[in-house]
Amino acid sequence: MALEQPECPLTLHALSMRHDETGSTLTLRVGNDGKASVTRYTITAWVMMADGTPKGSQRWQQKTALEPGEARPLSLALRTVRVSPSDAVVLAVLDTQGDAWKGDEKLLEREARAVAVR
């Protein structure tokens, strides 16, 4: 699942997750709903146990520009944390460049914990 981030120019929509012996691969759609190009951005995934306890997280820096109104699929390899069937994986944008924006990482992690226990 992806957090709603009203001030962020980018939106994330989780599409699928597959698992193999090396870890998990997340497939999502990233869209630029802003009014300017986003030249770089950082995405974080938190892996949360069913009670909202974090198991770990992983970040990805993306350097592919997104023009206003553009959306594209993105596959991310989650290798730092093993995902169990009862875990929730919560995605969020941490920051963007070009159309500059920065989220509060501690607040986003608290939101990820809250979403995981719903």
Side-chain angles (χ1 to χ4, degrees):
M1 59 189 85
L3 293 179
E4 290 185 25
Q5 299 175 264
E7 303 293 319
C8 181
L10 298 182
T11 56
L12 303 176
H13 299 280
L15 300 175
S16 66
M17 182 170 21
R18 62 175 205 281
H19 310 280
D20 61 28
E21 64 281 345
T22 63
S24 302
T25 301
L26 307 166
T27 303
L28 55 133
R29 189 176 80 240
V30 181
N32 182 351
D33 294 340
K35 294 180 179 15
S37 272
V38 171
T39 56
R40 292 176 181 230
Y41 54 97
T42 306
I43 296 173
T44 293
W46 289 276
V47 178
M48 302 287 186
M49 292 188 282
D51 66 357
T53 303
K55 266 179 124 169
S57 64
Q58 184 171 326
R59 289 184 187 186
W60 297 270
Q61 295 257 333
Q62 300 299 309
K63 298 176 183 173
T64 305
L66 282 169
E67 298 302 319
E70 183 179 8
R72 70 169 56 115
L74 180 64
S75 290
L76 303 172
L78 181 57
R79 303 290 185 250
T80 60
V81 184
R82 274 284 193 223
V83 179
S84 301
S86 61
D87 294 339
V89 178
V90 184
L91 300 161
V93 176
L94 282 185
D95 59 62
T96 64
Q97 294 177 19
D99 188 355
W101 177 85
K102 185 164 179 62
D104 179 330
E105 187 170 2
K106 293 293 181 192
L107 177 62
L108 290 169
E109 184 176 343
R110 281 196 302 270
E111 288 180 35
R113 286 179 188 215
V115 167
V117 295
R118 288 184 196 162

